[in-house]
Amino acid sequence: DQQVKQNSPSLSVQEGRISILNCDYTNSMFDYFLWYKKYPAEGPTFLISISSIKDKNEDGRFTVFLNKSAKHLSLHIVPSQPGDSAVYFCAASWGPDKLIFGTGTRLQVFP
Amino acid sequence: DTAVSQTPKYLVTQMGNDKSIKCEQNLGHDTMYWYKQDSKKFLKIMFSYNNKELIINETVPNRFSPKSPDKAHLNLHINSLELGDSAVYFCASSHLSGGSTDTQYFGPGTRLTVL
């Protein structure tokens, strides 16, 4: 049973445009959500997070939106840059330390 | 300086062998984890240790045994390796335990291939 889903395995966006990565979850107990970015042959690195008491969190070019009623969150990257090309993992948690990850979306930003 | 390091980076071995993957973090974190990323790209937690004590132990075969000699190290020993154990294993650490808001820092991963 996959509690965190990223239904788009890949996304291709032109440089300068907005990238929108989506994530859905099924467990209403989740109270904290994170996005991780992963380059090939490296471990995931933390990107941005949001608590369930908020619906938006922004950090530079990255904004995460949370829609609790729809059990949906999204990561917006604007403007997209070639260096953003990576796999993005959505993760959720509700208890101490335990993160549940999605399967990732591969973002490719082309010139 | 590498924050979370794992050795080896690649491990190819025969079925039935016993192997270990080592993990070290120099961040001063109290909690360390092992994750498995399988062929379907699922990244699943296996174990979590806080100050050398087991906190999370997900449903993994008892052929997998984590060992934490000190809070900076969490090694993963696997007995009687099976084909299905082939995956990328990631070690991670975080500052605190008991807080789901803690950022986890990941190692580069160890790609294990069982032949």
Side-chain angles (χ1 to χ4, degrees):
Chain A
D1 177 29
Q2 197 178 343
Q3 300 182 63
V4 178
K5 300 177 185 178
Q6 293 176 256
N7 292 317
S8 298
S10 63
L11 175 67
S12 191
V13 172
Q14 190 173 28
E15 182 178 5
R17 303 247 182 202
I18 185 171
S19 296
I20 300 177
L21 296 99
N22 293 305
C23 178
D24 297 293
Y25 61 95
T26 58
N27 190 338
S28 57
M29 296 296 291
F30 287 141
D31 59 4
Y32 199 70
F33 304 88
L34 308 91
W35 284 93
Y36 281 80
K37 176 179 178 180
K38 183 184 178 305
Y39 292 116
E42 294 183 12
T45 56
F46 171 75
L47 191 58
I48 192 169
S49 62
I50 188 167
S51 163
S52 60
I53 62 173
K54 294 186 174 182
D55 54 19
K56 178 183 174 181
N57 188 25
E58 194 172 350
D59 183 2
R61 297 186 297 113
F62 302 91
T63 303
V64 56
F65 295 91
L66 175 62
N67 182 335
K68 288 195 295 289
S69 60
K71 295 191 178 69
H72 177 83
L73 67 155
S74 60
L75 174 68
H76 293 211
I77 307 172
V78 53
S80 301
Q81 299 173 355
D84 295 330
S85 297
V87 177
Y88 290 79
F89 288 96
C90 170
S93 69
W94 79 97
D97 305 312
K98 184 172 175 177
L99 285 180
I100 308 295
F101 284 84
T103 51
T105 297
R106 182 178 299 280
L107 173 66
Q108 185 176 4
V109 180
F110 59 93
Chain B
D1 279 346
T2 304
V4 182
S5 59
Q6 296 178 228
T7 53
K9 203 162 185 180
Y10 299 94
L11 182 55
V12 181
T13 188
Q14 299 284 338
M15 266 175 41
N17 284 349
D18 303 339
K19 291 292 179 185
S20 292
I21 307 172
K22 295 185 177 181
C23 178
E24 177 181 2
Q25 54 95 2
N26 62 7
L27 297 166
H29 287 168
D30 292 323
T31 307
M32 295 184 73
Y33 314 78
W34 276 107
Y35 287 85
K36 178 181 179 182
Q37 185 180 28
D38 61 21
S39 57
K40 296 180 181 177
K41 306 302 181 188
F42 292 124
L43 197 66
K44 291 183 180 177
I45 191 166
M46 300 173 70
F47 302 102
S48 167
Y49 268 71
N50 175 257
N51 279 319
K52 299 175 15 177
E53 289 191 21
L54 183 64
I55 303 296
I56 295 174
N57 184 0
E58 291 296 298
T59 306
V60 297
N62 56 15
R63 299 181 294 103
F64 289 79
S65 53
K67 288 183 171 53
S68 182
D70 54 60
K71 76 172 193 176
H73 295 84
L74 182 62
N75 303 323
L76 184 64
H77 189 76
I78 315 170
N79 289 328
S80 302
L81 278 156
E82 300 178 357
L83 293 176
D85 297 333
S86 295
V88 181
Y89 292 85
F90 288 99
C91 176
S93 72
S94 67
H95 181 53
L96 299 170
S97 177
S100 61
T101 59
D102 273 342
T103 300
Q104 294 187 16
Y105 295 81
F106 285 80
T110 296
R111 181 174 292 279
L112 170 65
T113 303
V114 182
L115 303 175

